């Protein structure tokens, strides 16, 4: 009966702590709290998808803003032609070149302004021209303003404001998910710390219980204690 009772007590203590020992014995990686949070923020799928969405809305926002950017354009060209004249004064060879530059700007009220500067050059063997080569230059200014549909800053900036709000909403979503994920990781981190400390406490308690059981059994065997003490 004594051996059966001792085996029962020891087995009960071992079974109580066995799951914790198994969990604690698994291979672990040492991480600080900051490292754990950064790893979660980097690898969380939902957060990464939200970041991708934020990047997309940022691109839409930048595209909407580009409508009101000042645009500069420049082009240059050159062409040589060999012709078959149909008259005695017609040209057999004609070279042309051009270089043009323009500046465009759209304002928030819908006003579009364009300043354009064009240059042309012509060299030909056609008879009848007093000077060779020929140069042409033109400077033009164009202004357009919608008077009905599209008039006013509210109409012109509607898409821009919508894109800005969408971008701000996506930024808020990313920040919110990151903060929530960080809080979850911190809670799990400290729960793990508590669980490991709790394992150590249970190990120590088991060790002391075994020592007390062994001492009690020795005193019973020596006749110093009654067997009933095992049940107390």
């Amino acid at each position: 009966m004594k051996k059966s009772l001792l085996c029962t007590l020891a087995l009960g203590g071992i079974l109580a702590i066995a799951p914790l020992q198994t969990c604690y014995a698994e291979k672990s990686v040492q991480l600080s709290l900051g490292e754990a949070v950064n790893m979660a923020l980097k690898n969380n799928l939902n957060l990464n998808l939200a970041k991708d969405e934020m990047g997309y809305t940022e691109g839409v926002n930048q595209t909407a803003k580009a409508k009101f950017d000042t645009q500069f354009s420049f082009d240059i060209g050159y062409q040589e032609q060999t012709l078959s004249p149909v008259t005695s004064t017609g040209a057999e060879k004609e070279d042309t070149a051009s270089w043009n530059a323009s500046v465009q700007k759209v304002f928030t009220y819908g006003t579009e302004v364009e300043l354009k500067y064009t240059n042309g050059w012509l060299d030909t063997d056609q008879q009848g021209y007093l000077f060779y080569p020929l140069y042409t230059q033109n400077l033009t200014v164009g202004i357009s303003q919608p008077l009905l549909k599209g008039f006013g800053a509210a109409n012109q900036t509607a898409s821009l404001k919508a894109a800005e709000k969408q971008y701000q909403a996506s930024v808020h979503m990313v920040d919110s998910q990151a903060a929530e994920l960080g809080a979850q990781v911190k809670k799990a981190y400290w729960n793990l710390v508590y669980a490991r400390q709790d394992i150590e406490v249970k190990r120590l308690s088991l060790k002391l219980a075994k020592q007390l059981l062994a001492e009690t059994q020795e005193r019973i065997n020596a006749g110093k204690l009654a067997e009933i003490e095992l049940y107390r």
Side-chain angles (χ1 to χ4, degrees):
M1 180 179 180
K2 292 179 182 180
K3 292 183 178 180
S4 177
L5 181 60
L6 291 174
C7 290
T8 301
L9 291 174
L11 180 61
I14 292 173
L15 290 176
I17 199 172
L20 297 175
Q21 288 178 327
T22 302
C23 178
Y24 190 74
E26 291 179 356
K27 184 179 180 180
S28 61
V29 178
Q30 297 294 328
L31 291 175
S32 66
L33 178 57
E35 291 172 338
V37 172
N38 290 334
M39 180 178 292
L41 294 176
K42 180 180 179 181
N43 298 314
N44 185 266
L45 178 60
N46 290 332
L47 183 60
N48 288 331
L49 291 175
K51 288 181 179 179
D52 291 341
E53 177 67 19
M54 183 182 69
Y56 169 76
T57 57
E58 183 180 11
V60 173
N61 186 34
Q62 294 296 330
T63 302
K65 287 182 178 180
K67 175 183 177 180
F68 302 101
D69 290 342
T70 301
Q71 298 182 10
F72 174 79
S73 61
F74 177 81
D75 64 85
I76 186 171
Y78 176 79
Q79 183 179 21
E80 292 183 357
Q81 296 184 77
T82 301
L83 306 173
S84 298
V86 295
T87 64
S88 60
T89 59
E92 295 182 358
K93 183 179 180 183
E94 189 174 273
D95 299 337
T96 58
S98 64
W99 53 99
N100 310 301
S102 65
V103 178
Q104 297 176 325
K105 173 69 176 178
V106 178
F107 296 90
T108 55
Y109 279 87
T111 305
E112 297 184 20
V113 178
E114 181 180 17
L115 177 64
K116 191 171 184 179
Y117 179 61
T118 60
N119 293 269
W121 175 84
L122 172 64
D123 188 11
T124 180
D125 59 1
Q126 182 177 354
Q127 299 180 15
Y129 288 96
L130 297 178
F131 302 99
Y132 295 98
L134 300 177
Y135 294 97
T136 59
Q137 293 181 334
N138 293 287
L139 179 63
T140 57
V141 177
I143 300 177
S144 64
Q145 172 65 56
L147 298 179
L148 297 176
K149 184 179 180 181
F151 176 78
N155 291 325
Q156 292 294 322
T157 60
S159 59
L160 175 60
K161 291 179 179 179
E164 287 179 344
K165 289 182 179 179
Q166 187 177 9
Y167 173 63
Q168 292 172 0
S170 63
V171 171
H172 176 74
M173 179 65 69
V174 170
D175 292 341
S176 178
Q177 290 188 9
E180 182 179 357
L181 180 61
Q184 292 175 352
V185 172
K186 290 178 181 179
K187 182 179 179 180
Y189 184 90
W190 291 117
N191 285 342
L192 178 60
V193 171
Y194 168 77
R196 294 205 171 202
Q197 292 176 345
D198 188 54
I199 289 174
E200 296 299 331
V201 172
K202 285 182 169 59
R203 281 183 169 178
L204 179 60
S205 297
L206 178 60
K207 181 179 179 180
L208 294 176
K210 288 181 178 180
Q211 291 178 354
L212 180 60
L213 178 62
E215 293 174 0
T216 302
Q217 186 61 53
E218 289 179 359
R219 297 179 68 182
I220 290 174
N221 294 338
K224 296 181 179 180
L225 288 176
E227 189 174 347
I228 193 64
E229 296 296 331
L230 288 174
Y231 301 95
R232 296 184 178 179

